[in-house]
Amino acid sequence: MDKHTKRSIYIETYGCQMNLADTEIVSGILDRQGYRICTDIQEADAVFLNTCAVRDNAEQRIYGRLANLKPLKNERSHMVIGILGCMAERLRKSLIEDQDMVDIVCGPDEYRNLPMLIDDAFGGEKGIRVQLSRVETYDDIVPLRTEGISAWVAVMRGCDKFCSFCVVPFTRGRERSRGIHNVVREIEELVSRGFREVTLLGQNVNSYRDGDHDFADLLRKVAAVDSSLRVRFTTSHPQDMSDKLIETVAACDNVCKYIHLPVQSGSDRILELMNRTYTADHYLRLVEKIRRAIPDVALSTDIIAGFPTETEEDHRMTVELMERVRFDGAFMFKYSPRENTRAYKMGDDVPDEVKGRRLQEIITVQRDVSYQINRQLIGSMQTILLEGPSKRSEKEWMGRTDTNKTVIISNDGYTAGEYVRVRIDSATSATLFGTVATISESLSAA
Ligand code: SAH
Ligand code: SF4
Ligand code: F3S
């Protein structure tokens, strides 16, 4: 029997979808080495936290979690604790020095070394591996996924954009892409296992490249694998949203008409300081172009409130941009200074209560717009992919529209993975409620 067979590993994932995809890669690596991936922390010989470093509050959450793992660690002295992901990469050996319960620190490009690090840790030796790579894509690793409807598939890693506020280029290193054939093969495999939706992932997915193939080529090939498979992708940087990509989204029926297009601010002065490489006007014209090509498209965005030197006037321009674009949804954050970034040197001069107030204002604007957009859908027919019972009740089912809106239906007895045609009866700013008209196995018939 393999010496690892009885060792159980428990992994908790924080941060973005890249981390969710990485946890499946880590699980794949460990599974291949004979470890058992477990879902009950009480059974774990090793606990890993796959962490995020994008804002200070993401890191504070991890410190909180470590503090609350302490009793478990004290109770079971052989238990190993490891930090993976972006915080591991950012804080490196200081994590082990400051947190004596941490045994392993392993950055996003070093996951192949985890079996060795774990063996050393069980032997009582702490270990740190945080080298970033220009080539690592884990292209040959089979991610360990539980059965499901929807899968995350990382197609590229890293980011070369260096937005001045962002740690990602430091924690994830340079951009690099997987081979197009390997991605397509992985999608075929997912389809044969019953997955009905894939989301192609990259910090900056539109700059995917494999030789002569760009992201639009990849998207077209993935969409061609199965016409009943829904294909999504995230995140798109406005600078890399090419005409060819827009045409591809428009042309492929099973590529979802939903684009996450972070704008960050509506002020040209702030956008320049952020190193975003576009102006508000550029962005608005891009949105118009997308809407002309894909009339029913849904758009979402990310916005930062209180970037260094942001004035009331800059803030007002952000509100105006939001009112002009009318995003279907937005993720909104208070600016959080990150060491080593360019913005860090600009100071953090917007007082916290001002950041808080501006954040609240943009949240309110967005909630109103989302509510109005959702209300206009009342009475319309939508095709939704059923994901399972809703969080609130076993009797209600939940699914999403092509445009990524959550729909709750007040019936049960369905199977996850079915497409159903639903009439929308009511709406809030976050959720649609509907009644089923027809069920279908395929996307086109529904
Ligand atoms: N690559 C993606 C996601 C990056 S992180 C993109 O370019 O959109 C997700 C979001 O977090 C960013 O879009 C930004 O809005 C926010 N963010 C990043 N760094 C931040 C910081 N230092 N403070 C506050 N929000 C930040
Ligand atoms: Fe960060 Fe900008 Fe790269 Fe997004 S594009 S990960 S915000 S540096
Ligand atoms: Fe966070 Fe790293 Fe993702 S910093 S947002 S987990 S790339």
Side-chain angles (χ1 to χ4, degrees):
M1 195 161 73
D2 188 289
K3 66 182 164 136
H4 305 303
T5 330
K6 290 202 178 65
R7 295 215 157 130
S8 294
I9 316 282
Y10 175 86
I11 312 176
E12 254 171 35
T13 311
Y14 298 80
C16 66
Q17 295 110 332
M18 275 312 277
N19 263 10
L20 289 172
D22 277 4
T23 290
E24 294 174 343
I25 286 169
V26 168
S27 303
I29 291 171
L30 296 178
D31 179 70
R32 195 162 72 174
Q33 293 289 319
Y35 292 93
R36 192 172 78 88
I37 305 298
C38 65
T39 50
D40 179 358
I41 196 166
Q42 298 302 331
E43 294 171 4
D45 300 301
V47 173
F48 286 103
L49 307 183
N50 192 2
T51 61
C52 174
V54 81
R55 283 169 291 275
D56 185 59
N57 56 10
E59 295 193 350
Q60 294 311 322
R61 234 180 120 195
I62 298 299
Y63 291 127
R65 183 61 179 138
L66 282 173
N68 99 21
L69 286 173
K70 206 157 215 152
L72 195 64
K73 170 94 174 173
N74 291 340
E75 205 176 285
R76 289 194 256 156
S77 54
H78 73 280
M79 196 175 88
V80 162
I81 294 197
I83 303 290
L84 311 177
C86 292
M87 216 174 144
E89 192 62 49
R90 193 179 89 77
L91 297 169
R92 305 177 166 214
K93 72 175 192 304
S94 64
L95 260 179
I96 282 193
E97 287 163 1
D98 301 349
Q99 305 280 322
D100 60 330
M101 60 188 289
V102 173
D103 304 295
I104 294 172
V105 173
C106 183
D109 287 347
E110 293 268 32
Y111 295 148
R112 288 178 201 266
N113 294 311
L114 271 174
M116 180 200 78
L117 286 165
I118 295 173
D119 279 355
D120 289 350
F122 282 130
E125 209 179 304
K126 296 192 178 217
I128 306 176
R129 296 299 291 254
V130 288
Q131 194 77 50
L132 286 170
S133 159
R134 286 183 175 271
V135 292
E136 179 62 272
T137 60
Y138 301 108
D139 213 4
D140 58 312
I141 302 288
V142 182
L144 187 71
R145 294 187 173 94
T146 44
E147 299 306 317
I149 298 308
S150 190
W152 307 108
V153 179
V155 301
M156 52 93 64
R157 301 178 71 82
C159 182
D160 289 350
K161 287 280 188 270
F162 287 94
C163 303
S164 67
F165 50 79
C166 186
V167 286
V168 172
F170 303 95
T171 62
R172 294 264 166 186
R174 298 290 61 76
E175 274 175 13
R176 65 220 102 113
S177 300
R178 293 177 57 191
I180 195 161
H181 298 299
N182 287 338
V183 176
V184 171
R185 204 174 314 135
E186 184 174 342
I187 307 285
E188 288 166 350
E189 169 74 25
L190 287 168
V191 168
S192 71
R193 279 176 57 194
F195 282 87
R196 309 304 299 263
E197 180 179 76
V198 294
T199 305
L200 307 182
L201 291 178
Q203 280 308 336
N204 187 13
V205 75
N206 304 3
S207 52
Y208 173 91
R209 183 156 281 282
D210 176 19
D212 291 338
H213 299 294
D214 62 11
F215 184 65
D217 298 327
L218 175 71
L219 196 59
R220 196 176 278 276
K221 276 204 176 358
V222 167
V225 168
D226 178 350
S227 62
S228 286
L229 179 74
R230 270 188 176 172
V231 183
R232 302 182 184 278
F233 58 96
T234 198
T235 294
S236 299
H237 191 292
Q239 189 193 313
D240 298 322
M241 195 73 214
S242 68
D243 292 357
K244 180 177 169 190
L245 179 55
I246 297 171
E247 283 157 25
T248 306
V249 175
C252 300
D253 285 342
N254 58 330
V255 172
C256 292
K257 309 302 179 239
Y258 166 67
I259 299 174
H260 182 58
L261 196 65
V263 66
Q264 314 295 0
S265 169
S267 154
D268 290 347
R269 190 182 67 82
I270 296 294
L271 286 170
E272 165 105 45
L273 288 176
M274 286 177 163
N275 192 32
R276 286 295 288 187
T277 68
Y278 53 83
T279 62
D281 195 48
H282 259 120
Y283 186 90
L284 289 168
R285 273 187 280 137
L286 176 60
V287 165
E288 259 175 53
K289 185 157 67 176
I290 293 172
R291 285 187 168 148
R292 251 197 322 274
I294 317 163
D296 289 327
V297 72
L299 295 173
S300 64
T301 202
D302 292 347
I303 293 175
I304 297 177
F307 185 83
T309 78
E310 187 187 71
T311 61
E312 284 306 316
E313 176 67 5
D314 295 317
H315 168 63
R316 201 185 49 72
M317 291 192 252
T318 299
V319 170
E320 258 172 36
L321 181 133
M322 294 172 76
E323 286 169 340
R324 283 186 64 181
V325 175
R326 297 176 63 78
F327 293 104
D328 292 78
F331 301 92
M332 294 160 279
F333 315 98
K334 265 192 211 173
Y335 171 69
S336 170
R338 311 311 287 139
E339 256 174 277
N340 294 322
T341 60
R342 271 208 282 148
Y344 192 74
K345 299 173 195 80
M346 299 174 198
D348 182 19
D349 61 337
V350 180
D352 192 59
E353 62 274 17
V354 176
K355 283 184 194 169
R357 199 243 312 137
R358 290 180 188 164
L359 179 65
Q360 205 46 57
E361 278 174 27
I362 58 178
I363 289 174
T364 306
V365 169
Q366 185 54 47
R367 195 180 298 139
D368 285 352
V369 172
S370 297
Y371 180 56
Q372 288 163 22
I373 292 176
N374 285 350
R375 264 188 38 183
Q376 282 169 357
L377 294 173
I378 295 175
S380 72
M381 300 297 293
Q382 303 285 332
T383 301
I384 67 171
L385 175 59
L386 287 175
E387 290 176 18
S390 83
K391 280 187 212 114
R392 269 206 328 222
S393 150
E394 283 284 315
K395 289 218 164 68
E396 294 174 339
W397 273 60
M398 178 277 189
R400 272 176 307 143
T401 64
D402 178 295
T403 52
N404 211 30
K405 294 179 196 290
T406 300
V407 182
I408 305 286
I409 52 172
S410 58
N411 317 58
D412 59 1
Y414 295 106
T415 311
E418 282 173 329
Y419 287 102
V420 295
R421 196 86 178 133
V422 171
R423 196 174 58 90
I424 304 302
D425 302 321
S426 63
T428 67
S429 63
T431 314
L432 303 171
F433 299 86
T435 318
V436 174
T438 50
I439 308 174
S440 168
E441 276 289 298
S442 86
L443 188 49
S444 49

